Amino acid sequence: MPELPEVETVVRHLRPVLVGRKLNGITLGRHRLRSPWKPSWDSEILGKTIESVERRGKWILLQLRKTDSHVIVHLGMTGRLLVTPAKDPQALHTHFVFSLDQGRDELRYHDPRRFGSVIWAKTHDTHRFPQEAELGPEPFALKPKDFHNAISNSSRCLKAILLDQSIVAGVGNIYADESLHRAKLLPTRQGRNVTPAESKKLCQAIVAVLTKAIERKGSTISSFYYGDGESGNFQTEFNAYDRAGESCKRCRTPMIGIRLAGRMTTYCPVCQI
DNA sequence: CTGTAATCCTGCGAGC
DNA sequence: TGCTCGCAGGATTACA
């Protein structure tokens, strides 16, 4: 579900309703997430006000005012972060409830598969949360020359490269396939065989695809919703993802589906080279 | 350094 | 209709 455009959609939706609000309570669900919340973190966040809501790659950062720390959320595959009136019934698989201000509203984290995480971290010299140390540049700040340098000695295929968050942050399976199709590059191409011109084209394609997807408020495949159950619309504009067997929208050739880098991968065998 | 597979989970659709 | 099976947008780890 949530890759960069979906996370950005959530962040843009949450920002106006969360900034300036105080975290006055925390209740944990019965089941632990991928990385467990440490009890000692309670006192770090209680009584603190949310200064800003930002995105980095697929991570959501809630900066805590007058501290050098954040609550950081990763939505995994099925995570949802939403502000709800406290009187609303709690959905099954709600793992975190933060009471806001006087308790009329709550910030809830909901995640059936529990692949996501909610953590607290102090800012380090070089990163705001531990995982940021391994994170590559934002796609919109990615310089084609740097991208090319990063992949030009690699024997890995482009699909694996795009899914690698340390090369570029925020691209997942859907947008990797969409970007490669737009750039007319095969997902199986090795990094070392990509020319500088092709690297540039791919970087531009990533930006174009993500920009359009953000405009459409992300893609809703089965479970991505933001805010009050609103869905994204980009799934109607897929040119590659999940189109195996269907004809390429550019050249009418039947699209091929293979498993690559452990992921379902779809491409056109004719116009992607 | 690579790729592959397994792993953490629930939900959903396909197929019988 | 009800069952089982396989697969799913992510990230990490172990192993060949």
Side-chain angles (χ1 to χ4, degrees), chain A residues 75-112:
Chain A
L75 300 176
M77 295 255 236
T78 53
R80 290 180 64 183
L81 191 61
L82 59 162
V83 176
T84 315
K87 60 175 169 54
D88 281 15
Q90 213 175 86
L92 189 66
H93 307 304
T94 296
H95 306 299
F96 275 85
V97 176
F98 296 94
S99 182
L100 299 172
D101 301 327
Q102 310 313 315
R104 189 190 302 237
D105 291 334
E106 292 174 346
L107 174 64
R108 298 178 181 177
Y109 180 73
H110 170 264
D111 186 358

Side-chain angles (χ1 to χ4, degrees), chain A residues 5-26:
Chain A
E6 291 75 31
V7 178
E8 180 66 24
T9 299
V10 170
V11 163
R12 289 184 184 186
H13 189 268
L14 286 179
R15 186 174 290 136
V17 287
L18 271 186
V19 168
R21 307 199 69 173
K22 197 180 273 190
L23 300 173
N24 271 336
I26 175 172

Side-chain angles (χ1 to χ4, degrees), chain A residues 177 239-248 253-258 264-268:
Chain A
D177 279 11
N239 291 317
Y241 175 76
D242 201 29
R243 299 198 71 248
E246 296 173 45
S247 67
C248 172
T253 306
M255 307 277 289
I256 304 287
I258 58 170
M264 191 59 216
T265 302
T266 311
Y267 63 94
C268 172

